Amino acid sequence: MSFEIKDEFYLEGKPFKVISGSIHYFRVVPEYWRDRLEKLRLLGCNTVETYVAWNKHEPNEGEYDFSGGNDLRRFIQIAQEVGLYVILRPAPYICAEWEFGGLPYWLLQDPKMKLRFSYGPFMEKIQRYFDQLLPQVTDLQITHGGPILMMQVENEYGSYANDKKYLRQMAQLMRDKGVVVPLVTSDGPWHDMLDNGTIPDIALPTINCGSDIKKWFDVLRKFHGTKKPLMVMEFWIGWFDAWGDEHHHTTSVEAAAKELRDILAEGSVNIYMFHGGTNFGFTSGANYYEKLAPDVTSYDYDALLTEWGDITPKYQAFQEIIAQYTELPEFALSTKIVKKAYGKLQAKDRVSLFSTLDKLAEPVKSPYPLSMEELNQATGYVYYKSAIGAPRHIEDFRLISCMDRANIFVNESLLMTQYDQEIGVSQKIELTAESNELGILVENMGRVNYSVKMNHQHKGIKDGVIVNGAYRADWEMYSLPMDNLEQVDFSGDYLSGQPSFTRFELEVDEVGDTFIELTGWGKGFVTVNGFNLGRFWEVGPQKRLYLPGPLLKSGKNEIIVFESDGKVGESITFFDQPDLG
């Protein structure tokens, strides 16, 4: 088969309007991939688009994973089985409100690293990654009988830089590794972004926007002429939520529907997002403009399908419009999904982090604090501790180059919490015990995924700790990626006010989707049978965590809640309805 880009898109020589929706395979449990893809097909879409998250597939340099929830190949094959074509966006950078925009943390171990430039070591690492990634998908291109129609070169590059040498190197690398389908770029249509981020002789420019489509299509038409198709690669129909936002973001169904009509009247579309899914574990990213804005666990996005896969009024409105351009398929959904309210669970066990610290990590000793990257750690927490001597008044206490949030303890008692711009502000401390130990629990809240701050995303403590005007030496550090909670020793002591692990047991007769509420708890994350669901935080707006049924099993299930701020409840509650705030 063939897919070509001329004055229009052509499939097998016939004009083809791309009507696509975004689903990120890495934000959906694989047991639900088929359900979400079937609902996309029933909407009337002919194509699914997905990013590829580099840091999911190469979490540590040279270690690759394309299994389970990372089985990109299987996701693409299911799409084809459902009757969908695929737009693949395998750029090293994806943004996507995802930890570090999909870039792996270990890139920052090179102190000279230049991200997203034609910097030799960066290009070498991409090449090694593509050596593993592209063989997973090149035989799934449409020219080989697969569903992949197009692939993207980089992502929104025009909002980052204008290194055309880099873009051309990326495109050539893809060609050298067996990519034969047409290439595209996608950028905002304002400022210099189209000029900066496109290589029109190699890849079709497309645009990303959520409103004023007619205006932006005019801009795109003037940019690349009238002999190329118009496409919105990301038609933003909702928005994402950050911790501390007043409420969950929603958008007007009517306004979004109007913009969809305008797009399809002149060109092709990829709906961003058709289904947002979930930032499981510590995968949520952050933005940074005036202040840090880390994203919540839900990536509902006010999409056509909810985070938990329900059809929305926006879905129905879009389906009516799409029906004017194509015949809607009819078939029964193959996945049975139920929602369950399992009720309130009482805590079984609780232990302070400090009582089980040695079971979770081997301490690393150093004269100075080491960053997460220096500790070969991607996400989670690091606990730093150091003896700071006799009772006295400390006039000047500061953390230098520390991100993102620090709970500061003296003798394992919480003294203060510093977050974002509070970090680095000088504080006064009174030490009253005969001898004193300083402890600092630092959390990575999500590496920034967009704009200039991406170059400065070292987590933990990078420079040091000032005590009375001087850097403090002699540290022990505990890396806490929190991926080994089976090692937690619940027979240890619990002291009120300390970070802690709390264990629950959930007996299940019928497995179903459910939503966990942690009323009275402060900040932390939840694991279910060893799977990290993601963060919770009392600041909201998200009030409940989505727990997909496939993560549960009939019989006994173990729930572990880590809480960092010393604010815990004695119970958690499972509802059959969400609360995104």
Side-chain angles (χ1 to χ4, degrees):
M1 293 183 69
S2 66
F3 180 77
E4 298 174 282
I5 301 177
K6 298 179 181 178
D7 59 323
E8 297 182 55
F9 295 117
Y10 288 89
L11 181 64
E12 286 294 274
K14 297 179 181 179
F16 182 74
K17 187 180 289 288
V18 178
I19 307 176
S20 175
S22 292
I23 304 173
H24 300 153
Y25 62 97
F26 44 85
R27 281 182 159 129
V28 183
V29 293
E31 293 87 348
Y32 284 168
W33 285 347
R34 187 176 296 272
D35 175 76
R36 292 359 182 203
L37 289 164
E38 286 176 347
K39 288 169 179 170
L40 179 61
R41 185 71 190 98
L42 289 168
L43 177 69
C45 286
N46 53 36
T47 305
V48 62
E49 174 273 324
T50 187
Y51 280 130
V52 180
W54 183 1
N55 54 15
K56 286 288 285 183
H57 295 294
E58 195 178 1
N60 297 297
E61 188 168 12
E63 297 177 10
Y64 301 96
D65 183 2
F66 295 96
S67 63
N70 292 336
D71 193 346
L72 169 64
R73 181 179 180 84
R74 183 63 190 136
F75 178 80
I76 294 171
Q77 289 171 329
I78 295 172
Q80 186 172 27
E81 292 167 11
V82 168
L84 293 164
Y85 296 105
V86 174
I87 299 170
L88 197 63
R89 302 169 80 186
Y93 166 77
I94 63 174
C95 186
E97 292 71 60
W98 186 259
E99 157 73 18
F100 208 20
L103 298 173
Y105 84 95
W106 44 262
L107 291 171
L108 297 174
Q109 293 174 336
D110 175 357
K112 297 180 180 179
M113 177 54 64
K114 295 297 180 185
L115 302 171
R116 306 174 69 195
F117 273 90
S118 54
Y119 172 62
F122 183 58
M123 297 306 300
E124 289 168 11
K125 293 177 193 302
I126 295 170
Q127 180 171 335
R128 287 197 296 268
Y129 166 55
F130 274 10
D131 283 342
Q132 301 295 320
L133 169 67
L134 292 178
Q136 299 282 329
V137 299
T138 48
D139 66 325
L140 298 177
Q141 295 174 94
I142 193 164
T143 48
H144 297 73
I148 299 174
L149 298 179
M150 298 182 273
M151 292 198 204
Q152 180 175 281
V153 181
E154 243 284 350
N155 182 60
E156 294 184 322
Y157 189 67
S159 62
Y160 185 78
N162 67 339
D163 185 355
K164 298 299 180 79
K165 179 181 177 182
Y166 165 65
L167 288 178
R168 293 180 183 279
Q169 284 180 320
M170 282 297 308
Q172 189 60 50
L173 181 59
M174 294 172 73
R175 292 299 190 212
D176 292 344
K177 302 297 179 185
V179 174
V180 296
V181 296
L183 301 176
V184 298
T185 56
S186 63
D187 290 283
W190 39 81
H191 306 308
D192 297 335
M193 293 180 186
L194 281 170
D195 287 322
N196 290 345
T198 57
I199 40 175
D201 56 320
I202 295 174
L204 175 73
T206 67
I207 58 174
N208 299 345
C209 54
S211 59
D212 294 328
I213 297 299
K214 289 184 177 181
K215 171 185 174 182
W216 300 126
F217 265 175
D218 282 343
V219 170
L220 180 60
R221 188 181 289 109
K222 290 173 184 175
F223 180 77
H224 68 30
T226 58
K227 295 184 179 180
K228 291 183 180 179
L230 301 174
M231 182 168 183
V232 181
M233 184 58 73
E234 290 185 15
F235 170 38
W236 303 325
I237 62 162
W239 207 244
F240 49 89
D241 299 334
W243 292 115
D245 284 352
E246 291 185 5
H247 52 75
H248 169 53
H249 290 91
T250 59
T251 59
S252 161
V253 173
E254 293 75 20
K258 175 196 174 296
E259 298 294 343
L260 178 65
R261 287 191 196 94
D262 289 346
I263 295 172
L264 293 180
E266 295 188 78
S268 291
V269 69
N270 176 55
I271 300 161
Y272 192 99
M273 296 289 300
F274 167 72
H275 172 55
T278 308
N279 297 315
F280 293 118
F282 302 130
T283 59
S284 55
N287 283 290
Y288 204 114
Y289 297 103
E290 290 80 20
K291 62 180 181 179
L292 181 65
D295 297 312
V296 303
T297 298
S298 171
Y299 198 63
D300 178 83
Y301 206 86
D302 196 33
L304 301 192
L305 288 190
T306 63
E307 179 189 5
W308 46 97
D310 282 356
I311 287 170
T312 66
K314 198 180 291 183
Y315 178 106
Q316 294 165 332
F318 275 37
Q319 189 179 52
E320 291 177 7
I321 296 167
I322 292 170
Q324 299 170 24
Y325 292 88
T326 186
E327 184 177 345
L328 298 179
E330 293 184 27
F331 56 85
L333 294 170
S334 60
T335 307
K336 180 186 177 184
I337 300 174
V338 299
K339 298 187 186 73
K340 302 291 291 185
Y342 295 113
K344 184 176 288 189
L345 276 189
Q346 297 297 318
K348 290 281 187 182
D349 302 289
R350 179 171 290 153
V351 64
S352 291
L353 168 66
F354 304 134
S355 298
T356 191
L357 198 55
D358 289 325
K359 298 292 175 65
L360 291 172
E362 290 284 335
V364 174
K365 296 184 179 181
S366 170
Y368 41 81
L370 300 174
S371 69
M372 273 194 180
E373 294 73 22
E374 291 170 314
L375 293 166
N376 296 313
Q377 182 181 345
T379 54
Y381 306 74
V382 179
Y383 185 64
Y384 300 83
K385 70 176 184 178
S386 178
I388 53 170
R392 65 194 188 281
H393 176 70
I394 294 177
E395 183 69 24
D396 178 19
F397 171 83
R398 282 175 285 151
L399 306 180
I400 308 299
S401 296
C402 172
M403 295 196 295
D404 295 307
R405 190 172 187 267
N407 287 344
I408 299 161
F409 303 85
V410 172
N411 300 326
E412 299 183 349
S413 178
L414 182 63
L415 185 68
M416 69 182 83
T417 298
Q418 295 186 331
Y419 175 57
D420 186 25
Q421 295 168 2
E422 298 165 341
I423 294 174
V425 176
S426 181
Q427 301 288 331
K428 295 177 172 59
I429 298 176
E430 287 294 334
L431 301 179
T432 58
E434 286 298 312
S435 62
N436 295 276
E437 180 183 86
L438 177 67
I440 308 167
L441 182 67
V442 182
E443 179 183 0
N444 169 6
M445 290 288 295
R447 289 183 180 83
V448 167
N449 52 255
Y450 184 80
S451 195
V452 296
K453 288 282 186 177
M454 288 190 66
N455 289 295
H456 306 280
Q457 290 305 301
H458 293 83
K459 300 299 182 179
I461 301 175
K462 188 172 185 290
D463 287 347
V465 179
I466 296 294
V467 176
N468 269 341
Y471 280 113
R472 197 70 192 174
D474 299 326
W475 292 88
E476 288 189 359
M477 288 150 286
Y478 294 79
S479 286
L480 299 169
M482 300 297 194
D483 56 2
N484 60 340
L485 299 197
E486 72 279 359
Q487 302 295 327
V488 173
D489 181 3
F490 282 100
S491 68
D493 294 333
Y494 166 70
L495 291 178
S496 178
Q498 292 186 347
S500 63
F501 298 94
T502 304
R503 192 174 71 87
F504 300 83
E505 288 181 357
L506 174 65
E507 286 282 349
V508 169
D509 292 328
E510 181 186 11
V511 167
D513 289 1
T514 190
F515 303 85
I516 303 178
E517 184 170 290
L518 296 103
T519 302
W521 297 71
K523 189 178 191 305
F525 65 91
V526 178
T527 68
V528 178
N529 296 325
F531 183 94
N532 191 336
L533 279 189
R535 299 178 175 94
F536 66 89
W537 195 1
E538 62 183 337
V539 301
Q542 185 174 0
K543 299 291 193 298
R544 297 174 186 167
L545 295 180
Y546 168 53
L547 168 49
L551 299 177
L552 294 170
K553 58 189 177 183
S554 296
K556 187 180 295 184
N557 296 266
E558 183 179 65
I559 317 291
I560 295 178
V561 180
F562 175 73
E563 201 286 326
S564 62
D565 293 3
K567 189 171 183 179
V568 295
E570 294 305 317
S571 65
I572 57 177
T573 307
F574 295 79
F575 291 88
D576 59 4
Q577 295 296 320
D579 186 351
L580 295 179

